[in-house]
Amino acid sequence: MKFSRQTTLRSQATVTGVGVHSGLPVSLTLGPAPVDAGFIFVRTGLDGADREVTATADAVIATEFATVLGDREGPLVSTAEHVLAALRGMGVDNATIEVDGAEVPIMDGSAAAFVAAIDQAGIVTQPGVRRFIQVLKPVQVKIGDAMGELRPFAGGFRAEVEINFANKVIGHQTYSFDLSPEGFRREVARARTFGCMNDVARLWGAGFALGASFDNTVVFDEARLLNAEGLRYADECARHKVLDVIGDLALAGLPLLGSYRSVRGGHKLNNAVLKALLADRSAWRVVESETARRPVRGHVEAGASTVGGLVAPAYGPDVS
């Protein structure tokens, strides 16, 4: 298995669906991008020229109901987290994401359709050495009764989430996940977004969630699950929170080496922790991986380092 080089998509692949808030049809096309480009959203369908925004923490302009990216002219694309989770989860470093509407299509509420699009496009290696952001010390943020923390971790990237809803059907759930492409595909990608029926009705009344349905949202009332399909995992809600974490933290711009724990978290908390990490230059460094399974030799310099077996399980299929 080779993990030392960056990856991109071999060709393009398109998915079509509706925006979860607007209810309007939208198409999204994944495609290749150059070395060190990261994830570039291209908003088409606008009056005049297309607009681009690189998916970084600085581009986040709202986190209330989803992660919204934009620029000085305003918002460009909403609900970016699921497609970003698919790209990061499947070990893609660089990609273009063309969207012809204001939202990424919600599809079935999970990242499964985006994983299928990545499979269709194929993943190829690039000449550039893969780089990571390595967490060096704990960084914690509290917002009300929610808490998020990034810590050093010697095994790649781990997400640990804890949720505790007043709705007794959802209740208290925990889930921990060590990121790998096959693990993401099997354990996380199919976990759907969820909500309570009274919240959905409130959002509808406010003009949000107009595209939400039982086809793309797991919905509970106070006594039971309302979807005829049932749950895909017993702890699907907690797993979807992990999916959101992977997508929101993809906005670091590089894969993270560290452990993220959240309690009662969401997009706002995830983004706040990531920004707190990046703002503290002593809390992280950029490292490179020449060969994922090669042991580290010699002195490691902050900002231009080499890591060995540390990252082997966490990123990238063998696509050489």
Side-chain angles (χ1 to χ4, degrees):
M1 299 287 286
K2 296 183 179 179
F3 302 89
S4 59
R5 300 295 172 181
Q6 294 179 35
T7 63
T8 190
L9 299 177
R10 185 186 303 274
S11 61
Q12 292 187 326
T14 299
V15 299
T16 59
V18 299
V20 69
H21 289 303
S22 68
L24 298 175
V26 59
S27 293
L28 178 147
T29 299
L30 296 175
V35 168
D36 294 330
F39 303 135
I40 303 172
F41 280 87
V42 181
R43 174 67 192 281
T44 66
L46 297 168
D47 293 333
D50 299 339
R51 287 163 59 192
E52 295 184 2
V53 61
T54 301
T56 64
D58 289 340
V60 176
I61 63 172
T63 55
E64 190 65 28
F65 299 114
T67 297
V68 183
L69 305 181
D71 57 19
R72 292 179 180 178
E73 297 182 42
L76 280 177
V77 61
S78 177
T79 324
E81 59 272 10
H82 297 172
V83 67
L84 290 175
L87 289 164
R88 180 64 76 226
M90 295 303 294
V92 178
D93 295 291
N94 306 301
T96 57
I97 309 156
E98 293 187 10
V99 187
D100 67 359
E103 297 178 80
V104 169
I106 190 62
M107 308 310 291
D108 71 348
S110 77
F114 304 120
V115 170
I118 292 168
D119 289 341
Q120 179 184 337
I123 302 175
V124 294
T125 51
Q126 297 177 287
V129 174
R130 177 171 276 157
R131 297 179 299 142
F132 304 82
I133 290 176
Q134 182 181 28
V135 179
L136 299 178
K137 69 179 187 182
V139 173
Q140 185 180 105
V141 173
K142 293 183 178 180
I143 302 175
D145 59 359
M147 185 280 295
E149 182 178 46
L150 275 164
R151 301 180 63 88
F153 179 61
F157 177 76
R158 169 176 289 175
E160 303 174 358
V161 303
E162 178 180 346
I163 61 175
N164 195 354
F165 280 76
N167 181 291
K168 300 302 182 183
V169 188
I170 303 173
H172 178 262
Q173 297 181 21
T174 62
Y175 186 68
S176 297
F177 177 69
D178 291 322
L179 182 60
S180 70
E182 284 310 309
F184 181 82
R185 182 194 301 274
R186 183 179 61 251
E187 305 294 340
V188 174
R190 296 180 65 251
R192 297 161 293 175
T193 192
F194 63 94
C196 300
M197 192 63 209
N198 57 342
D199 293 329
V200 174
R202 177 175 54 84
L203 289 170
W204 282 340
F208 295 101
L210 301 180
S213 71
F214 292 122
D215 293 327
N216 57 41
T217 306
V218 179
V219 184
F220 303 87
D221 66 13
E222 293 303 316
R224 60 193 176 97
L225 169 70
L226 300 180
N227 300 67
E229 176 187 342
L231 293 173
R232 295 175 177 177
Y233 314 92
D235 52 0
E236 185 168 0
C237 297
R239 291 183 191 233
H240 185 80
K241 287 289 188 178
V242 166
L243 189 157
D244 283 344
V245 163
I246 295 168
D248 287 338
L249 297 189
L251 294 162
L254 296 173
L256 286 174
L257 300 178
S259 176
Y260 180 71
R261 178 171 179 261
S262 73
V263 177
R264 297 177 181 266
H267 302 300
K268 182 178 181 179
L269 180 70
N270 297 341
N271 186 250
V273 176
L274 178 58
K275 286 186 173 179
L277 173 77
L278 297 177
D280 184 350
R281 195 58 188 84
S282 69
W284 59 276
R285 63 182 176 184
V286 175
V287 296
E288 295 181 350
S289 175
E290 291 295 335
T291 304
R293 297 186 184 277
R294 181 180 300 165
V296 176
R297 295 179 180 177
H299 181 64
V300 178
E301 295 291 339
S305 305
T306 302
V307 292
L310 172 71
V311 302
Y315 297 97
D318 186 2
V319 290
S320 59

